[in-house]
Amino acid sequence: MEPLRFEQYPSTHLHLPLRRDILHRAVVYEGDKTRQGTANTKWRKDVHGGGRKIRPQKGTGHARLGDRKSPMLRGGGVAFGPKPRDFSTELPRKVYDLAWRTALSYRYRKGELIIVEDGMEIEHPKTRFVKQIFEANRWGNRDGRSMLVTATHQTNLYKALLQAGEDGRVLTQKTVDVKNLLELGRVIIEKSALDGILKNHQSDLMSTHTEIPKELPGDEVDDVLFNTLYGIRTIELNRPRKLNSLNGSMARKIIPRLKEWEKSHLANVIIMKGAGDKAFCAGGDVAALAEQNIEGTAGRQKSIDYFALEYQLDHLIATYSKPYVAFMDGITMGGGVGLSVHAPIRIATERTVFAMPETTIGFFPDVGGSFFLPRLDGQLGTYLALTSERLTGVNVFYNNIATHYLHSSSLPDLESRLAELTFKDYATLPERLSIIHATISEYSSGLPHDVRINPSGSLRASIDSCFSHTNITDIIRDLESEAATTDPNGNGNSDWARKTLSTISERSPTSVRVALRALRLGRRWSIGETFQREHAIAARFMAHPDFVEGVSARLIRKPAQTPQWQPPTLQATDDAMIDRFFDHEGLPRLRLLNEGAGSGASRRGGGGGGGQQGSGAQQSGDWQEYPHWGVGRIGEGIGLPREGEVEQLVKEGSRTREEVLDWFEARKDGAQGIRKKVGEVLWRKTRVDQGGDRCVWID
């Protein structure tokens, strides 16, 4: 084979000396992770059933028996029964990352690392064709089997090699490990897969220390109030006249406290809330940022520095190793979303108003919106991002933006109750969150019976259809088609489509296109990468005229005016203009406060001086899905089931709609809103199979 071109890689990536001890530790660590014991018993939380007492207690003279989950009953749960034993061992992330690059360097020096262009796929899954390729390049069994590593799953190549296993294997960048890189005769890897592996395994080459921000002399004194009550630590945003808008002074106070409490034996639960009864946090103080930008380059740099501070705080919350609870009581927009949506426990009330209004002021949905919004059900996140549509009250809960719904009058009592909670030192973060979830459920007074899920039914179907495209032109086309559709019974969504078209036309064209691209790319970003990329995009916006114009017209000038966008229409924008927002050359990389904390390689420890064990995914500081969503485990996440979970259960077997409802209700112990949320998804996304009553998912 002749090289197509030459690529340069640092010597620290592909020219490391052979360290057999490092490779041995990595292979043993990976092997230990795959071992699992067989002992398994049901704890109380694993036993299905309601909370009704088995028999009356008062006046009978009998001891309390409890419900059917009681350890005193046959078939009930046990207090501390054995679970499958975890044989995994510890390995520092820096050692593990060094092992990856040592294995690749070993292959490279022996001439056994072959880097190919992306797209290592074949047209048809023909085993004979693959064998011919292997024989022509001397990659087959006769010359030592080959390990193929691709960036993404290549279906035809995978199928063909299943029948040609004697010649080699194929794995993706996400499934390959150090042992795989060493065990066969050579490694044939796509360039993007190699770049991805090197990017993910270089923690030992970077300094993981990021300076914790400190208060500055000019910061306000009481814009954030901190309080301690037994095991809880509360953070109260205290700018009620400005709807608790977040600024740099507040962030510089909050970050050091969070880092301090993370190490404390006594801090069990962190609560974030807002002062007053109008707002949790209405966003960042964008008016101050716009005024800074007018000052010129120095002012714009101050704004960029503010976004760095805000995103560091949001990422710290997202990867926090202790239970973090957000009281989303009142207006929750922009910067307030960043302080809440990444938390594992998010409580909405009848006063909650949720929105991402950035496109109305010439900006884009930031604060991790590029990560959170595309992971909502269907295309709801895209719709909210491009239109700035609001969700209120219980619908913030129904749409999985909040994990719980309580009346606002219950929050003070809940806060006092959470202060009384104690956890065992060895309790994992998921176990602690489970206890908090059960405690919050005690204060539920039911959901409003006269409020329907919004959006739902045909409107929700129209949203998923119209906003599924990657190009704004296609979204506009589908909305225009929907607007032209008339229903003689008046049940169509033409009025909604016309209103949505008008709304999008009022938004900054640049913001709309940047937001759409960020959402589509963000579905593949990790949580850490999201904030780093958003910081670079925000820096580009600070130099764009739409941000100052949008903030000035909407918020500063009185009365409010219609912004004069540049360019004025979507048709006047082009891909080259949008590409510049995603070109990060020359911009510094945002240093995150939890960057390199824990790792996927080291699953234990962390969390604080009390010996708390957080989940490995939560502590790693970087993940692709929220750990508290119970990814891959139906019904295990906190809050209402997501649409993907319902789809997975429906496709798993032959169940009726009622059986699906019963399954989720039992799995969630009859939590409020289950039947209404799952029922709406089933009505919209399933049909009844002909000749039976089994429900079938509609793709």
Side-chain angles (χ1 to χ4, degrees):
M1 296 180 64
E2 293 294 327
L4 297 176
R5 65 176 188 272
F6 292 95
E7 293 282 347
Q8 291 187 344
Y9 287 91
S11 60
T12 53
H13 283 178
L14 293 180
H15 207 267
L16 292 173
L18 178 61
R19 289 285 304 275
R20 297 181 186 274
D21 57 329
I22 296 292
L23 295 176
H24 178 264
R25 292 178 66 183
V27 171
V28 170
Y29 160 74
E30 291 172 346
D32 289 344
K33 279 203 306 182
T34 64
R35 298 181 61 195
Q36 188 176 26
T38 57
N40 193 18
T41 56
K42 287 187 177 181
W43 293 355
R44 285 183 63 99
K45 66 178 182 180
D46 298 324
V47 179
H48 292 167
R52 186 174 62 86
K53 290 183 179 180
I54 297 297
R55 69 185 184 202
Q57 172 196 358
K58 294 182 178 179
T60 64
H62 296 299
R64 179 175 179 176
L65 181 60
D67 55 29
R68 62 175 298 182
K69 305 175 187 178
S70 171
M72 293 185 287
L73 294 175
R74 178 174 295 179
V78 297
F80 296 102
K83 282 287 184 182
R85 180 182 173 188
D86 182 8
F87 288 92
S88 62
T89 53
E90 299 179 25
L91 186 66
R93 176 175 181 176
K94 291 185 178 181
V95 176
Y96 190 53
D97 286 356
L98 178 60
W100 275 87
R101 302 197 318 279
T102 300
L104 289 169
S105 299
Y106 169 72
R107 288 297 199 184
Y108 172 73
R109 284 200 310 275
K110 294 190 67 177
E112 296 170 350
L113 180 67
I114 302 171
I115 306 171
V116 300
E117 294 284 4
D118 294 351
M120 195 161 46
E121 176 65 305
I122 55 178
E123 188 174 352
H124 301 289
K126 300 292 186 182
T127 302
R128 182 177 60 183
F129 180 56
V130 171
K131 282 183 169 291
Q132 290 174 351
I133 295 176
F134 274 47
E135 290 175 4
N137 292 288
R138 302 183 66 180
W139 291 349
N141 188 32
R142 187 179 306 171
D143 302 289
R145 299 171 66 209
S146 299
M147 169 62 65
L148 277 64
V149 183
T150 61
T152 58
H153 181 73
Q154 307 291 357
T155 304
N156 291 340
L157 182 64
Y158 177 81
K159 289 180 179 179
L161 274 174
L162 278 179
Q163 305 299 323
E166 69 276 7
D167 290 319
R169 296 177 61 193
V170 59
L171 294 172
T172 66
Q173 170 191 336
K174 292 183 178 180
T175 56
V176 72
D177 58 24
V178 174
K179 179 174 178 289
N180 298 141
L181 297 176
L182 298 170
E183 61 185 353
L184 300 187
R186 66 193 56 78
V187 176
I188 305 162
I189 185 170
E190 290 182 347
K191 183 181 183 302
S192 63
L194 175 63
D195 293 342
I197 289 173
L198 293 174
K199 176 185 175 183
N200 294 333
H201 297 287
Q202 55 179 339
S203 63
D204 55 312
L205 302 179
M206 301 182 296
S207 171
T208 59
H209 173 73
T210 303
E211 184 178 354
I212 297 176
K214 300 177 181 179
E215 291 187 60
L216 299 179
D219 287 350
E220 297 179 39
V221 178
D222 294 324
D223 50 3
V224 183
L225 302 178
F226 301 96
N227 191 30
T228 297
L229 180 63
Y230 300 115
I232 68 167
R233 304 293 183 267
T234 60
I235 304 170
E236 185 175 13
L237 309 177
N238 190 36
R239 300 178 75 202
R241 292 186 178 181
K242 289 187 174 289
L243 301 179
N244 298 321
S245 294
L246 184 70
N247 60 19
S249 169
M250 301 165 79
R252 283 187 289 270
K253 291 180 177 69
I254 296 172
I255 290 174
R257 287 298 183 106
L258 287 175
K259 297 299 287 184
E260 174 190 338
W261 292 337
E262 197 169 27
K263 301 174 183 177
S264 171
H265 292 265
L266 303 177
N268 290 331
V269 181
I270 313 301
I271 294 177
M272 177 75 75
K273 61 183 182 179
D277 55 7
K278 288 186 178 180
F280 165 67
C281 176
D285 195 348
V286 292
L289 299 179
E291 291 171 354
Q292 286 178 174
N293 287 2
I294 297 174
E295 299 173 4
T297 303
R300 287 196 295 270
Q301 187 57 51
K302 291 179 183 178
S303 298
I304 295 170
D305 292 342
Y306 163 76
F307 285 115
L309 191 63
E310 182 183 21
Y311 298 165
Q312 285 176 331
L313 172 58
D314 294 338
H315 180 263
L316 177 61
I317 291 170
T319 57
Y320 206 60
S321 61
K322 289 195 172 186
Y324 177 101
V325 181
F327 287 178
M328 301 169 66
D329 183 28
I331 299 172
T332 305
M333 298 182 184
V337 173
L339 298 177
S340 57
V341 295
H342 307 297
I345 304 288
R346 311 175 299 279
I347 302 175
T349 72
E350 78 283 359
R351 300 189 296 210
T352 302
V353 179
F354 174 91
M356 294 295 285
E358 286 79 6
T359 55
T360 66
I361 59 170
F363 200 48
F364 76 109
D366 61 335
V367 296
S370 305
F371 187 92
F372 178 77
L373 292 170
R375 287 164 174 79
L376 293 177
D377 290 346
Q379 297 302 321
L380 178 65
T382 306
Y383 172 63
L384 296 176
L386 300 189
T387 65
S388 308
E389 188 69 20
R390 297 183 176 188
L391 296 176
T392 60
V394 72
N395 275 302
V396 179
F397 170 65
Y398 282 138
N399 287 289
N400 295 100
I401 293 169
T403 57
H404 299 80
Y405 177 84
L406 297 177
H407 195 274
S408 58
S409 61
S410 301
L411 295 180
D413 291 336
L414 172 63
E415 188 173 326
S416 299
R417 179 71 179 90
L418 292 176
E420 299 170 357
L421 295 181
T422 57
F423 306 114
K424 297 184 182 300
D425 286 346
Y426 54 80
T428 63
L429 181 59
E431 290 170 347
R432 297 174 185 229
L433 294 175
S434 179
I435 294 171
I436 294 172
H437 167 65
T439 304
I440 295 173
S441 300
E442 298 173 7
Y443 290 84
S444 171
S445 56
L447 302 177
H449 65 278
D450 57 344
V451 178
R452 61 176 295 179
I453 297 178
N454 182 46
S456 63
S458 64
L459 174 58
R460 176 57 193 281
S462 294
I463 289 174
D464 288 351
S465 174
C466 294
F467 285 86
S468 61
H469 305 290
T470 58
N471 192 309
I472 189 62
T473 304
D474 296 331
I475 292 176
I476 298 296
R477 182 201 64 216
D478 280 11
L479 286 170
E480 290 174 342
S481 177
E482 186 81 31
T485 303
T486 57
D487 189 313
N489 299 321
N491 296 324
N493 296 311
S494 56
D495 290 342
W496 165 83
R498 284 190 288 271
K499 176 187 174 185
T500 303
L501 284 168
S502 175
T503 298
I504 293 178
S505 68
E506 296 171 357
R507 305 295 182 249
S508 161
T510 302
S511 296
V512 168
R513 292 200 60 182
V514 171
L516 181 59
R517 184 180 295 188
L519 292 180
R520 295 299 179 254
L521 294 174
R523 192 62 187 86
R524 302 192 297 271
W525 292 344
S526 67
I527 187 67
E529 183 181 7
T530 296
F531 286 109
Q532 290 170 335
R533 290 183 178 274
E534 285 187 351
H535 179 247
I537 297 171
R540 297 297 189 201
F541 264 110
M542 292 305 97
H544 194 277
D546 276 8
F547 178 73
V548 172
E549 171 62 18
V551 174
S552 300
R554 302 280 191 190
L555 303 177
I556 298 178
R557 299 173 196 152
K558 301 298 180 184
Q561 302 173 3
T562 300
Q564 302 301 309
W565 306 120
Q566 300 180 34
T569 64
L570 287 167
Q571 292 74 16
T573 61
D574 56 42
D575 289 340
M577 298 170 64
I578 307 306
D579 290 343
R580 284 196 287 271
F581 285 87
F582 297 86
D583 178 10
H584 303 160
E585 185 176 352
L587 295 175
R589 176 175 170 272
L590 176 64
R591 298 297 303 273
L592 300 171
L593 297 173
N594 270 0
E595 196 169 35
S599 78
S602 181
R603 292 285 186 178
R604 300 192 181 280
Q612 170 184 336
Q613 287 181 5
S615 68
Q618 183 82 356
Q619 283 185 284
S620 70
D622 212 21
W623 21 259
Q624 298 289 138
E625 302 288 347
Y626 288 108
H628 48 267
W629 276 10
V631 178
R633 306 184 303 276
I634 307 177
E636 291 293 324
I638 299 174
L640 292 178
R642 291 173 293 124
E643 192 171 294
E645 295 178 82
V646 181
E647 177 184 2
Q648 189 176 347
L649 184 65
V650 169
K651 289 183 175 181
E652 273 187 0
S654 301
R655 289 184 174 90
T656 65
R657 287 175 174 172
E658 191 64 29
E659 287 171 343
V660 173
L661 286 168
D662 291 342
W663 189 94
F664 275 107
E665 197 164 36
R667 193 72 170 178
K668 295 281 190 177
D669 289 332
Q672 62 179 4
I674 293 288
R675 294 191 75 86
K676 194 167 184 177
K677 168 66 186 288
V678 176
E680 191 279 329
V681 174
L682 291 173
W683 180 87
R684 176 168 45 87
K685 298 293 291 184
T686 65
R687 59 178 174 81
V688 177
D689 189 22
Q690 293 182 353
D693 55 0
R694 182 177 72 94
C695 62
V696 179
W697 189 263
I698 303 173
D699 290 314

